[in-house]
Amino acid sequence: MKNVEDLEQKMAEPSQALIDELNSIDGDILLLGVGGKMGPSIARMAANAVRFGGRAKRVIGVSRFSDRNVRRQLEAAGVETISCDLMNEEQLAALPEARNVIFMAGNKFGTVGREYFTWAMNTYMPGKVAEKFHDSRIVVFSSGNLYPLTKVGGGGADESVPPEPVGEYGQSCLGRERIFEYFAREHGTPMLFFRLNYAVEMRYGVLLEIAKAVHEERAIDLTMGHANVIWQGDAAEMALRSLTKCANPPQIVNITGPETISVRWAAGEFAKRLGKQARFTGTEADTALLSNASKSYHWFGYPRVPLLQMIDWIAEWIQAGGITWDKATYFQEREGRF
């Protein structure tokens, strides 16, 4: 992958399993909040899978589209687009009905100081969406931030671990799930809560942040010394395939890679590839924000892109001066302040 076009194409490649599963479900696919970091990848992949499957199924992306280029690129990929502020009740009501909905809208960064906005986006607006699309099946993007920090050697929190979110962002994510669950039980709406952490690609993500720190010879804080990651293309496919797993009461599934990654080890791998010396500060805590995604592998198989491949690609991208986004993950945050 030499440029953004190659990257986008790679992340939008559907597997045969996805093509078959989207063929098997009825109705169009509506993606709410498609203009974010991950939405365009999911939309392009869905459009490709529908096209390869030969079914007459619409893929519709909904966003405020503050970046007009994103809208043009999606339309060029065969995705219909609608500009909509989901907090505007008239605009929400005007959206077309769709049998399949993937809900990605919400707020995380900038929560501190604007907690009221995060709660409105993550709990009030989801209630309106759940009412509007009560006849749909809905995949609701959620977060691993619902879980407490767990012991590094414990394998991570699986779906049976009770939520114990730290900070108002995590609390509002739990609120989002609870509001969606209320309307699911009221209307019999099949749903799935998609607890993701952390999707990565070459322009942003945990691995890129580690790689950039090594490349720029900045010290890496090791206090949050371990993390989980998954290639964004794999997470996008799992989101679409989750439409076949919606149920009532709602299903829950963790989405991430299989490894508990040592930040120190990952920095060392990037140092070897970039010809740099990894620098560190602090000491690894014995707990971290870790998820166990075994259930997702049982459903969908293991991610197609392995960890060392991601590391290779990101190192090559940095060496080539590839475009990156100034969108930090704050994966090292232990107090829930985003």
Side-chain angles (χ1 to χ4, degrees):
M1 289 174 280
K2 302 299 183 184
N3 51 48
V4 171
E5 290 73 23
D6 290 345
L7 171 60
E8 296 285 7
Q9 182 176 356
K10 182 67 176 176
M11 288 195 297
E13 291 177 353
S15 70
Q16 189 60 50
L18 174 60
I19 294 168
D20 293 342
E21 288 182 15
L22 290 191
N23 259 342
S24 73
I25 60 175
D26 59 306
D28 298 329
I29 301 170
L30 186 70
L31 302 111
L32 302 177
V34 76
K37 294 190 295 293
M38 193 169 171
S41 297
I42 298 176
R44 291 187 186 94
M45 182 177 284
N48 286 340
V50 168
R51 183 171 66 256
F52 297 156
R55 290 287 298 274
K57 196 187 300 283
R58 300 165 68 196
V59 177
I60 306 165
V62 176
S63 172
R64 287 175 294 179
F65 289 112
S66 54
D67 185 341
R68 294 181 181 179
N69 287 329
V70 171
R71 186 172 193 176
R72 286 194 293 267
Q73 291 164 3
L74 288 176
E75 290 174 348
V79 179
E80 298 179 39
T81 64
I82 299 173
S83 179
C84 173
D85 180 353
L86 295 174
M87 289 289 282
N88 184 304
E89 294 192 20
E90 291 183 2
Q91 293 181 27
L92 175 61
L95 290 177
E97 298 297 327
R99 187 71 184 90
N100 306 287
V101 174
I102 297 182
F103 178 84
M104 296 173 282
N107 188 69
K108 179 177 183 178
F109 303 118
T111 290
V112 173
R114 298 184 74 210
E115 290 83 359
Y116 60 90
F117 179 75
T118 293
W119 281 92
M121 288 290 291
N122 292 352
T123 61
Y124 172 78
M125 183 258 285
K128 297 296 183 180
V129 169
E131 285 187 302
K132 162 70 177 176
F133 296 105
H134 65 268
D135 289 329
S136 305
R137 57 176 71 90
I138 307 176
V139 172
V140 178
F141 265 59
S142 188
S143 172
N145 285 99
L146 273 67
Y147 294 119
L149 302 181
T150 58
K151 291 289 186 179
V152 170
D158 65 18
E159 293 84 356
S160 70
V161 173
E164 195 177 323
V166 176
E168 293 209 35
Y169 165 68
Q171 293 163 12
S172 72
C173 289
L174 178 58
R176 174 169 52 210
E177 287 193 8
R178 296 294 190 235
I179 293 296
F180 267 113
E181 183 179 3
Y182 170 80
F183 286 102
R185 292 177 181 270
E186 282 288 297
H187 300 298
T189 307
M191 294 186 186
L192 178 142
F193 300 147
F194 191 84
R195 293 180 178 172
L196 172 67
N197 67 298
Y198 292 95
V200 302
E201 48 123 303
M202 266 81 98
R203 292 169 295 184
Y204 81 96
V206 172
L207 292 180
L208 176 66
E209 290 176 25
I210 295 171
K212 287 179 69 176
V214 171
H215 186 61
E216 296 166 7
E217 300 183 319
R218 289 185 283 108
I220 299 169
D221 184 356
L222 290 176
T223 308
M224 184 74 90
H226 298 81
N228 305 128
V229 302
I230 184 169
W231 174 246
Q232 180 163 293
D234 286 318
E237 170 154 331
M238 291 178 183
L240 289 165
R241 294 181 66 186
S242 290
L243 288 167
T244 67
K245 300 296 185 180
C246 293
N248 191 286
Q251 293 261 32
I252 299 171
V253 64
N254 294 340
I255 302 294
T256 194
E259 299 93 353
T260 296
I261 301 169
S262 160
V263 173
R264 185 188 297 271
W265 172 84
E269 291 299 306
F270 281 117
K272 288 188 287 188
R273 288 159 175 79
L274 298 171
K276 300 284 186 174
Q277 180 71 39
R279 302 176 186 277
F280 304 105
T281 184
T283 302
E284 292 92 334
D286 63 357
T287 60
L289 183 68
L290 298 169
S291 294
N292 184 317
S294 298
K295 181 177 178 179
S296 70
Y297 313 142
H298 176 64
W299 281 356
F300 308 124
Y302 280 89
R304 291 184 290 173
V305 178
L307 175 58
L308 284 177
Q309 181 66 81
M310 288 184 261
I311 288 174
D312 285 343
W313 281 344
I314 290 170
E316 291 166 4
W317 190 264
I318 288 177
Q319 288 175 317
I323 293 171
T324 60
W325 293 335
D326 187 20
K327 296 180 179 180
T329 63
Y330 295 94
F331 79 94
Q332 293 161 317
E333 174 59 44
R334 299 179 64 87
E335 304 299 327
R337 293 176 61 82
F338 296 103

